[in-house]
């Protein structure tokens, strides 16, 4: 029922949810690899797609205090891309991501995500766009008095999935981030790395085609950071478009994915 | 919602039930976490609806009493001391617009009064007052209520008649009282309604503020405004309904206590006890009015609170 309306790569991802053994295998593989594992070569069989899923056209952002955060940014992200956005703190990386899901509005220019303009959407239209974007935050943004399972289910509740469907999606998502045995814990009982993995599970449990991660490793030690990046890489191999902001140069070198840099409000490749 | 809106009816039904389950669960969770704030809101509604319920019921009963009086066409004629009812009765019967005349001798009236006052012995009372203080009385029934004042005027001019009373005066007094009473209860109810809405609104706002992190997450994962705020609105309605239920119970309790107290009294107060008996219709109507009023107050309070947050 859910497969038929998704584009091919996401369909693959969902069917991997259905064929659980495969899904578990790949996820446990990701999670059991040591942090310094040799880099996987960029997957050759990943189909190259010309279609843009995120576009920024001459986007500028001026803050209320008059300082220019972003100046004439042009960016084109294709389906299935994995892109790092880097730059010093306060360079506007987070602002750029927030504009993609309509939490900030550009002062000038156009943003197109899923063929829609988040800055022009209001109310429930914006909610509908956000359902097709998974977001991972630096500060996790977990709900304090809800268990791990509930925190992940929030997304599915919001989209009024049935109890059965929630159960079907919850277990693979927990398994993927390696938190099956902590489903009934509360966020404050988890380490930072575990909390961030909960937040990733929440971001992908509704199988959105786009995953945005804002400094997902900002508060984590190198081991946990690498684990998070590996999960993101795995999701990308399943067909999800992943955009990650980070200022961790080491992580970017290890990951071997395209990088753009924001400096003084301008974008450098 | 994209791929969920399709599908057959049973899927739609399941989805509806899922939503209902979510709403109930979240509302109950909100109430559990509300703690003492719940009671602040509920007790305000209770006070409002208790006063409203009591005054509404009192007004109904006064009106019932008025109707009882209003239906009568009787003029009471009190004769001068020493004048016998039997002598005047044929004279009055011949007057136009008189339907019937009924005489009560002062002896009959006296024994009736003594009984109504609950005095034990007729003789004792008569002795204490050095004789029967009453006069003979005639009850004159007019053919129509419009004739009553004119008839009273004619009767007053007859010889041997001391005073003439007809029920119109008493009814007017009570009607006046009832109007004043209604006016006061409308004022008090209005004032308390505003207060209750303000208290519920503040309570819901505090609850929303306490959960703003949760709400932010829900907004970011694509929950619609209705989805996020409906549980809070339902929580406000629950305050109103619970307050109404408690108030209804209290009104009923007070009513029972008064009825019980009156039934212990002397005979002449018994008619009051009968008039405070609830009519079967009122027994159903009062709870319905209270619950509707309570739910509306809760709804308005919570909508006010949520309105400010839900604006984007």
């Amino acid at each position: 029922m859910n497969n038929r309306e998704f584009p091919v790569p996401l369909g693959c991802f969902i069917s991997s949810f259905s064929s659980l053994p495969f899904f578990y295998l790949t996820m446990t593989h990701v999670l059991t690899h040591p942090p310094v594992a040799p880099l996987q070569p960029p997957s050759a069989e990943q189909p190259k797609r010309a279609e843009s899923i995120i576009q920024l056209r001459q986007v500028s952002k001026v803050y209320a205090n008059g300082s220019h955060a972003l100046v004439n940014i042009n960016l084109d992200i294709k389906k299935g891309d994995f892109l790092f956005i880097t730059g010093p703190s306060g360079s506007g990386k987070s602002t750029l991501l927030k504009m993609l899901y309509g939490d900030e509005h550009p002062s000038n220019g156009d943003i197109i995500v899923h063929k829609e303009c988040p800055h022009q959407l209001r109310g429930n239209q914006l909610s509908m766009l956000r359902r097709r974007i998974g977001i991972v935050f630096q500060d996790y943004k977990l709900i304090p008095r809800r268990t791990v399972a509930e925190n992940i289910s929030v997304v599915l509740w919001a989209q009024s999935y049935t109890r059965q469907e929630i159960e079907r999606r919850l277990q693979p998502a927990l398994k993927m981030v390696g938190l099956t045995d902590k489903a009934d814990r509360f966020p404050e009982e988890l380490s930072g790395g575990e909390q961030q993995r909960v937040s990733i599970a929440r971001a992908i449990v509704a199988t959105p085609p786009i995953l945005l991660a804002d400094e997902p490793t900002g508060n984590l030690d190198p081991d946990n950071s690498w684990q998070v990046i590996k999960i993101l890489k795995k999701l990308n191999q399943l067909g999800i478009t992943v955009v990650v902001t980070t200022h961790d140069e080491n992580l970017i070198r290890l990951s071997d994915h395209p990088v753009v840099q924001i400096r003084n409000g301008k974008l450098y490749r | 919602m994209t791929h969920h809106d399709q599908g057959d009816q049973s899927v739609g039904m399941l989805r509806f039930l899922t939503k209902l389950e979510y709403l109930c669960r979240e509302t109950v969770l909100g109430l559990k976490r509300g703690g003492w704030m719940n009671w602040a809101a509920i007790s305000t509604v209770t006070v409002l609806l208790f006063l409203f319920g009591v005054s509404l019921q009192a007004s109904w009963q006064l009106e019932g009493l008025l109707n009882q009086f209003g239906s009568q066409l009787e003029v009471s004629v009190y004769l001068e001391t020493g004048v016998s009812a039997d002598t005047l009765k044929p004279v009055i019967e011949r007057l136009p617009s008189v339907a019937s005349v009924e005489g009560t001798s002062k002896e009959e009236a006296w024994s009736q009064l003594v009984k109504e006052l609950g005095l034990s012995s007729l003789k004792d009372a008569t002795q204490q007052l050095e004789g029967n203080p009453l006069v003979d009385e005639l009850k004159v029934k007019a053919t129509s209520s419009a004739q009553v004042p004119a008839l009273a005027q004619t009767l007053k001019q007859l010889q041997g008649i001391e005073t003439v009373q007809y029920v119109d005066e008493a009814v007017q007094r009570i009607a006046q009282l009832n109007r004043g009473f209604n006016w006061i209860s409308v004022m008090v109810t209005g004032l308390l309604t505003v207060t209750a809405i303000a208290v519920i609104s503040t309570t819901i706002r505090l609850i929303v503020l306490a959960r703003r992190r949760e709400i932010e997450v829900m907004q970011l994962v694509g929950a619609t405004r209705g989805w996020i705020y409906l549980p809070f609105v339902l929580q406000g309605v629950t305050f109103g309904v619970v307050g109404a239920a408690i108030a209804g119970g209290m009104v009923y309790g007070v009513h029972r206590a008064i009825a019980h107290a009156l039934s212990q009294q002397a005979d002449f107060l018994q008619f009051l006890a009968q008039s405070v008996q609830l009519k079967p219709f009122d027994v159903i109507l009062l709870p319905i009015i209270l619950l509707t009023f309570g739910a509306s107050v809760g709804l308005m309070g919570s909508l006010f609170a949520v309105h400010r947050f839900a604006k984007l």
Side-chain angles (χ1 to χ4, degrees):
Chain A
M1 171 187 135
N2 289 310
N3 285 356
R4 59 168 188 243
E5 284 167 50
F6 279 108
V8 182
L10 192 68
C12 298
F13 178 48
I14 296 163
S15 57
S16 77
F17 266 131
S18 324
S19 57
L20 295 184
F22 163 74
F23 191 73
Y24 291 166
L25 253 172
T26 55
M27 289 310 128
T28 38
H29 172 77
V30 167
L31 294 168
T32 49
H33 263 58
V36 285
L39 288 173
Q40 296 172 343
S43 84
E45 66 270 12
Q46 181 156 331
K48 283 277 163 264
R49 290 176 183 281
E51 204 179 334
S52 294
I53 195 162
I54 298 171
Q55 283 176 295
L56 281 80
R57 299 261 168 274
Q58 300 288 318
V59 170
S60 297
K61 176 71 183 178
V62 184
Y63 286 133
N65 62 16
S67 70
H68 290 256
L70 300 168
V71 182
N72 285 344
I73 301 275
N74 285 298
L75 185 62
D76 205 334
I77 303 173
K78 308 264 186 260
K79 267 186 187 166
D81 278 359
F82 190 123
L83 180 71
F84 275 113
I85 299 174
T86 183
S89 302
S91 59
K93 304 187 295 286
S94 294
T95 304
L96 195 148
L97 278 201
K98 281 181 182 169
M99 289 195 294
L100 296 183
Y101 56 87
D103 210 23
E104 295 260 11
H105 293 177
S107 314
N108 261 311
D110 270 320
I111 297 172
I112 301 160
V113 178
H114 284 304
K115 301 193 173 96
E116 296 194 78
C117 302
H119 56 289
Q120 285 167 6
L121 299 179
R122 290 284 172 278
N124 292 348
Q125 287 175 305
L126 185 59
S127 304
M128 295 306 150
L129 177 64
R130 282 178 177 174
R131 291 179 185 190
R132 293 184 285 154
I133 304 171
I135 311 166
V136 179
F137 306 93
Q138 181 178 9
D139 59 350
Y140 324 132
K141 288 203 195 300
L142 300 179
I143 303 166
R145 298 210 289 189
R146 307 260 192 182
T147 64
V148 167
E150 286 172 337
N151 262 287
I152 297 171
S153 304
V154 159
V155 186
L156 303 176
W157 291 339
Q159 303 184 30
S160 60
Y161 278 82
T162 60
R163 189 193 283 269
Q164 195 189 7
E165 181 69 15
I166 290 174
E167 206 49 48
R168 197 175 78 81
R169 285 167 173 267
L170 189 60
Q171 287 312 317
L174 280 168
K175 191 108 190 169
M176 192 196 71
V177 295
L179 290 171
T180 306
D181 53 336
K182 302 205 166 158
D184 295 324
R185 300 283 188 83
F186 288 93
E188 73 260 25
E189 299 169 350
L190 303 181
S191 72
E194 288 169 329
Q195 289 188 41
Q196 189 56 294
R197 270 143 58 195
V198 174
S199 131
I200 294 174
R202 180 183 63 193
I204 54 105
V205 73
T207 55
I210 296 178
L211 183 66
L212 306 177
D214 190 9
E215 296 272 8
T217 62
N219 294 334
L220 304 181
D221 59 41
D223 280 16
N224 276 311
S225 297
W226 184 242
Q227 263 196 356
V228 164
I229 293 297
K230 273 205 293 190
I231 294 171
L232 296 179
K233 282 166 84 79
K234 199 71 214 173
L235 289 165
N236 178 239
Q237 280 174 11
L238 291 167
I240 297 181
T241 309
V242 180
V243 181
V244 184
T245 69
T246 182
H247 56 260
D248 188 340
E249 299 287 343
N250 197 35
L251 211 61
I252 295 169
R253 268 196 302 280
L254 282 171
S255 320
D256 192 30
H257 280 299
V259 182
V260 295
Q261 194 179 30
I262 298 178
R263 252 183 297 127
N264 305 322
K266 295 210 168 62
L267 197 74
Y268 299 91
R269 270 163 226 280
Chain B
M1 203 63 78
T2 53
H3 58 294
H4 301 303
D5 276 339
Q6 298 169 7
D8 56 30
Q9 218 171 2
S10 69
V11 170
M13 189 67 193
L14 193 63
R15 213 155 273 294
F16 173 74
L17 287 176
T18 306
K19 284 181 183 179
L20 204 67
E21 186 204 341
Y22 167 84
L23 281 179
C24 293
R25 188 159 40 99
E26 289 301 301
T27 306
V28 169
L29 187 73
L31 286 169
K32 273 186 192 160
R33 290 184 181 174
W36 64 269
M37 284 195 288
N38 292 336
W39 295 108
I42 289 173
S43 57
T44 321
V45 179
T46 305
V47 170
L48 159 68
L49 291 181
F50 173 68
L51 290 180
F52 172 73
V54 164
S55 63
L56 187 66
Q57 207 172 45
S59 152
W60 283 349
Q61 274 155 7
L62 265 177
E63 231 147 79
L65 218 58
L66 285 177
N67 286 339
Q68 264 179 22
F69 285 129
S71 66
Q72 294 184 4
L73 307 164
E74 217 167 64
V75 180
S76 297
V77 180
Y78 298 97
L79 307 183
E80 279 169 6
T81 318
V83 179
S84 159
D86 294 337
T87 51
L88 269 174
K89 196 177 164 193
V91 183
I92 294 171
E93 270 172 338
R94 279 198 295 275
L95 288 172
S97 74
V98 169
S100 67
V101 181
E102 202 184 307
T104 312
S105 74
K106 62 180 182 181
E107 287 77 21
E108 282 165 18
W110 179 234
S111 67
Q112 178 68 24
L113 179 64
V114 167
K115 184 171 167 266
E116 278 179 1
L117 288 172
L119 300 178
S120 49
S121 156
L122 181 62
K123 256 185 197 155
D124 283 358
T126 318
Q127 264 172 4
Q128 271 171 7
L129 287 166
E130 296 168 343
N132 180 350
L134 299 181
V135 294
D136 278 12
E137 185 190 344
L138 286 169
K139 294 227 180 282
V140 180
K141 211 158 225 170
T143 47
S144 82
S145 59
Q147 309 283 350
V148 170
L151 179 62
Q153 212 56 43
T154 321
L155 289 171
K156 216 176 247 175
Q157 280 150 21
L158 286 178
Q159 276 236 317
I161 287 179
E162 172 89 33
T163 32
V164 172
Q165 264 183 12
Y166 56 99
V167 94
D168 196 35
E169 285 173 54
V171 172
Q172 268 176 3
R173 293 269 157 72
I174 297 176
Q176 232 168 19
L177 196 76
N178 195 24
R179 272 197 298 277
F181 181 73
N182 280 347
W183 195 77
I184 290 169
S185 50
V186 164
M187 293 281 288
V188 172
T189 303
L191 210 69
L192 283 175
T193 304
V194 172
T195 311
I197 290 175
V199 170
I200 287 181
S201 178
T202 309
T203 308
I204 296 288
R205 216 161 61 226
L206 285 174
I207 292 170
V208 171
L209 281 175
R211 294 173 68 181
R212 63 186 180 282
R213 281 187 65 185
E214 193 167 346
I215 290 170
E216 186 200 352
V217 170
M218 294 186 74
Q219 283 170 338
L220 291 173
V221 302
T224 57
R225 270 176 291 177
W227 191 257
I228 295 173
Y229 291 110
L230 213 52
F232 295 106
V233 174
L234 283 182
Q235 205 173 334
V237 173
T238 310
F239 291 158
V241 170
V242 172
I246 297 174
M250 283 164 68
V251 171
Y252 181 72
V254 165
H255 183 262
R256 281 283 296 271
I258 290 175
H260 182 75
L262 284 177
S263 72
Q264 305 291 307
Q265 298 300 314
D267 276 1
F268 94 104
L269 281 173
Q270 288 291 318
F271 92 98
L272 271 177
Q274 264 158 27
S275 77
V276 299
Q277 288 291 319
L278 285 176
K279 281 162 263 168
F281 180 62
D282 296 351
V283 172
I284 307 164
L285 191 62
L286 189 69
I288 291 176
I289 289 178
L290 288 184
L291 284 176
T292 314
F293 195 177
S296 321
V297 165
L299 184 70
M300 276 172 54
S302 50
L303 281 180
F304 272 131
V306 157
H307 174 72
R308 302 189 185 188
F309 294 103
K311 265 192 290 194
L312 271 182

